[in-house]
Amino acid sequence: MPPAPETDTLAAQAAAGDPASLDLLLRRIEPDVVRRCGRFLPYREDAEEAAQDVLLQVARKIHTFEGRSKFNTWLYTVIANCSRQKYRELKRRAGEERITDEESLRPDPRTTSVIAGSRLDLLEALERLERENPHLVAPLVYRDIGELEYSEIVERLEIPLGTVKSRLHHARKQVQEWLAEGV
């Protein structure tokens, strides 16, 4: 990803309505967006689809970027949401498809997990965490998947550092229990 000041400047110009800045911004962030979507989705094709959704959302919603936090922090929220939405879509689609007897013998990596702790298990655990303790999801996603700094998480969530660390601790503990159980 290009250096943050340059990206932040492009994002601010794009948010102000400059189409050339938006076009340049989208081209510059695309490789990193695909890579970050790949942290959520195990198949490159799925990650690329989610990345296209992210770029579309950025283009549509850039005017909402106010510059209160770094652009990368704002972008990561879009990446996390689009990636998780793509996973839900794939899971729903897999549940709706008819399968033959031969196909039923092969596990579908989009709906089942072969090894505990895989990204699919983690996505299932995140879905469960969102249902049971939604306030714990964002700190976990930002820190452990997005690898954001604590300061960026505090900025984005607008909560104290101690609260971020506490929520992260509780989220990790809960997710680890579920992963040990096999979600």
Side-chain angles (χ1 to χ4, degrees):
M1 174 149 291
E6 187 178 328
T7 304
D8 288 341
T9 301
L10 281 174
Q13 292 169 345
D18 180 7
S21 293
L22 176 61
D23 184 51
L24 183 56
L25 177 69
L26 293 174
R27 281 188 277 127
R28 287 205 178 160
I29 65 172
E30 183 177 14
D32 192 56
V33 168
V34 172
R35 184 181 57 77
R36 288 181 176 208
C37 288
R39 289 184 182 161
F40 287 91
L41 300 162
Y43 288 100
R44 180 152 181 89
E45 296 82 14
D46 297 339
E48 288 172 350
E49 271 188 53
Q52 290 304 310
D53 294 343
V54 169
L55 296 173
L56 183 60
Q57 285 299 316
V58 169
R60 287 182 177 165
K61 304 286 185 176
I62 191 67
H63 67 277
T64 66
F65 174 66
E66 298 171 349
R68 290 181 305 160
S69 63
K70 294 179 185 174
F71 174 72
N72 286 339
T73 306
W74 181 86
L75 176 63
Y76 197 76
T77 301
V78 179
I79 290 169
N81 290 340
C82 287
S83 295
R84 292 175 63 214
Q85 183 59 40
K86 179 57 66 180
Y87 173 72
R88 287 185 205 108
E89 179 186 315
L90 291 168
K91 188 173 154 186
R92 185 184 66 248
R93 208 181 314 153
E96 294 170 354
E97 292 176 355
R98 294 188 186 272
I99 56 173
T100 65
D101 288 336
E102 182 181 313
E103 289 175 325
S104 69
L105 297 175
R106 287 179 283 148
D108 182 352
R110 297 172 199 235
T111 59
T112 59
S113 176
V114 180
I115 48 175
S118 73
R119 283 181 277 183
L120 295 173
D121 285 328
L122 180 59
L123 286 166
E124 287 296 321
L126 285 173
E127 295 292 311
R128 185 172 173 185
L129 188 63
E130 191 163 38
R131 285 190 307 270
E132 296 182 16
N133 295 297
H135 64 286
L136 300 179
V137 174
L140 182 70
V141 168
Y142 287 147
R143 183 70 182 157
D144 289 354
I145 299 173
E147 300 174 346
L148 296 181
E149 298 293 326
Y150 283 110
S151 59
E152 292 177 291
I153 299 168
V154 166
E155 263 181 50
R156 183 67 187 157
L157 298 180
E158 298 178 341
I159 58 177
L161 178 60
T163 305
V164 168
K165 288 182 174 183
S166 173
R167 289 181 182 178
L168 182 58
H169 169 75
H170 291 294
R172 285 173 174 164
K173 185 177 176 186
Q174 188 62 71
V175 167
Q176 285 173 344
E177 288 175 18
W178 291 333
L179 290 176
E181 295 171 3
V183 188

